[in-house]
Amino acid sequence: AVVGSQYATDTQQDLMLVTFSSTLAFVSDTSFGGANSAYNNVANDLQQTADGGYILVGTTYHADSLDSDVWIVKYSSKLAVTWQDTIDGGNNDVGQSVHQTQDGGYIVCGTSNDGNDDDIMLWKIAADGLSHSILYSETTNTNDVGNYAHQTRNGGYIVVGTSYSTTNATDIRLIKLNSSGDTTVVNGGGFDSTYNVIDGYLNDEAVFVQEIDDGMGFAVVGNYWASGYGQNNVFVLKTDYQGTEVNTATFGGGFNDFGNCVRQTEDGGFIIVGSKLSQATTNEDVWILKLTHDLSTEWDYTYGGSADDIGTSVNQTTDGGYIITGNTYSYGNESEILLLKIDGSGAIQDFSN
């Protein structure tokens, strides 16, 4: 299944949920407006739930103001709305990722403005959608953004985002919480750490994190402004379970390149998807990198058409290949959903838009 947004009118966006078969054939779809259908409603993340349905998170607008609210919608396997919930902190609130937890409920990672600055947030949502609470609220006096979170094997949580430093630059932020939302080591092995890319200049942004299967730590992917090129490049950061940096690698060249998702592969390595600016056409192409466990490059390929094509998420499939989702402008004047199936060596097996 793929989630995104579509224009219901010339000015209003609604969410769009589309399901596909294993051969990438269209199965069904549904669209849904938010609490205020006169304004944009955007879906940012989707997960299939244990009951075969779907949970998504995004942003809607409060009925009597222009402030954005976090928006969570639960669908059945037949794409019927089971429940929905909004989180209104009083100012702008954005939901970036959603993850089902071991107790059947959900966590949502995002950002909330407290009237002074933006804060990293982690909310806990009840399994029936009838209640929600703040699991973690970041309290520094700088603008900080929460991008992704998931539950760890020990019942805690790992959160990744971006924080502004005192020099007005942004740093990578990685936060490990215990099951109660505590970051202190004494109460459950938590940490709250910031990192910089060595050859970066000003802006380091972390967008995705995954717990490493060997239980030894975490892998983070993000983007940074490369000082040698004056363009955006991609970094991968590995830490141990206490947040100590183990290894870092950077990828890209003299044009803007972005990494959007990282997954550990069956062989212990990693697969990354994002976009790479073509030097020949100045269009963005889907960019996929396969890395070893120590972050050396095994292979990397770009896939694209006559216009911009961007990869946003990747997962390994049961046959050892990979499924990539994203969006494309190469097949019309508007953005369309992109689905790309490749084998374990990067060769295209199937494609849908």
Side-chain angles (χ1 to χ4, degrees), residues 259-272:
N260 293 321
C261 182
V262 61
R263 305 282 188 187
Q264 191 169 27
T265 52
E266 292 175 349
D267 61 4
F270 301 93
I271 191 81
I272 297 170

Side-chain angles (χ1 to χ4, degrees), residues 14 24 39 69 82 84 88 111 124 134 152 171 175 192 197 208 214-215 229 283 288 306 321:
D14 287 346
L24 307 191
Y39 295 97
D69 294 340
T82 305
Q84 60 173 311
D88 178 12
T111 306
K124 185 69 169 66
I134 296 174
T152 54
D171 297 331
I175 303 169
D192 186 346
V197 180
F208 197 91
D214 57 17
Y229 295 109
N283 293 325
I288 304 171
S306 60

Side-chain angles (χ1 to χ4, degrees), residues 5-341:
S5 303
Q6 69 170 3
Y7 276 97
T9 67
D10 287 342
T11 58
Q12 175 220 332
Q13 284 181 299
D14 287 346
L15 71 84
M16 185 75 175
L17 177 60
V18 187
T19 60
F20 297 85
S21 71
S22 59
T23 59
L24 307 191
F26 170 83
V27 175
S28 60
D29 66 358
T30 186
S31 60
F32 189 58
N36 188 349
S37 59
Y39 295 97
N40 288 335
N41 306 287
V42 180
N44 291 325
D45 194 27
L46 169 77
Q47 185 187 25
Q48 188 165 27
T49 52
D51 62 3
Y54 303 93
I55 188 80
L56 67 84
V57 70
T59 304
T60 187
Y61 286 85
H62 197 271
D64 56 4
S65 76
L66 295 180
D67 292 335
S68 61
D69 294 340
V70 177
W71 186 28
I72 308 107
V73 185
K74 175 67 173 68
Y75 283 91
S76 71
S77 59
K78 298 184 181 298
L79 304 191
V81 175
T82 305
W83 54 261
Q84 60 173 311
D85 187 22
T86 57
I87 300 174
D88 178 12
N91 294 292
N92 286 322
D93 306 285
V94 177
Q96 286 291 97
S97 77
V98 63
H99 183 84
Q100 189 167 31
T101 51
Q102 296 165 6
D103 62 2
Y106 308 92
I107 55 167
V108 169
C109 178
T111 306
S112 182
N113 186 282
D114 62 8
N116 297 308
D117 54 42
D118 292 332
D119 298 322
I120 296 170
M121 299 291 294
L122 192 66
W123 294 276
K124 185 69 169 66
I125 316 298
D128 58 9
L130 295 178
S131 64
H132 60 258
S133 59
I134 296 174
L135 187 61
Y136 172 79
S137 176
E138 182 269 340
T139 56
T140 62
N141 294 320
T142 58
N143 285 311
D144 307 296
V145 177
N147 286 326
Y148 188 83
H150 70 80
Q151 191 168 32
T152 54
R153 293 180 186 83
N154 67 358
Y157 307 94
I158 189 71
V159 183
V160 75
T162 302
S163 290
Y164 273 88
S165 68
T166 55
T167 59
N168 231 10
T170 54
D171 297 331
I172 301 157
R173 187 79 172 270
L174 187 64
I175 303 169
K176 173 68 171 64
L177 308 170
N178 67 10
S179 58
S180 301
D182 196 335
T183 63
T184 60
V185 175
V186 174
N187 292 325
F191 62 81
D192 186 346
S193 300
T194 57
Y195 312 84
N196 302 104
V197 180
I198 293 175
D199 65 339
Y201 175 72
L202 292 180
N203 295 323
D204 302 330
E205 175 195 27
V207 297
F208 197 91
V209 62
Q210 184 183 22
E211 185 176 13
I212 298 174
D213 283 343
D214 57 17
M216 297 302 291
F218 306 96
V220 178
V221 71
N223 307 292
Y224 73 101
W225 194 255
S227 58
Y229 295 109
Q231 300 287 344
N232 197 85
N233 281 181
V234 176
F235 73 84
V236 180
L237 166 71
K238 286 174 63 178
T239 76
D240 64 18
Y241 220 71
Q242 287 71 47
T244 302
E245 183 175 332
V246 174
N247 194 9
T248 304
T250 59
F251 309 91
F255 291 79
N256 280 327
D257 306 315
F258 292 89
N260 293 321
C261 182
V262 61
R263 305 282 188 187
Q264 191 169 27
T265 52
E266 292 175 349
D267 61 4
F270 301 93
I271 191 81
I272 297 170
V273 69
S275 63
K276 190 174 186 66
L277 193 66
S278 169
Q279 299 181 27
T281 66
T282 68
N283 293 325
E284 290 181 284
D285 293 332
V286 175
W287 188 25
I288 304 171
L289 300 92
K290 175 64 175 69
L291 309 180
T292 64
H293 186 73
D294 64 0
L295 306 187
S296 299
T297 302
E298 288 188 32
W299 50 261
D300 74 285
Y301 296 110
T302 57
Y303 310 82
S306 60
D308 289 336
D309 306 289
I310 299 170
T312 56
S313 183
V314 61
N315 275 290
Q316 191 163 27
T317 51
T318 55
D319 62 2
Y322 305 96
I323 184 74
I324 295 96
T325 61
N327 54 76
T328 176
Y329 285 87
S330 292
Y331 300 91
N333 295 326
E334 304 292 339
S335 176
E336 296 180 356
I337 293 170
L338 170 70
L339 281 176
L340 177 66
K341 175 68 171 66

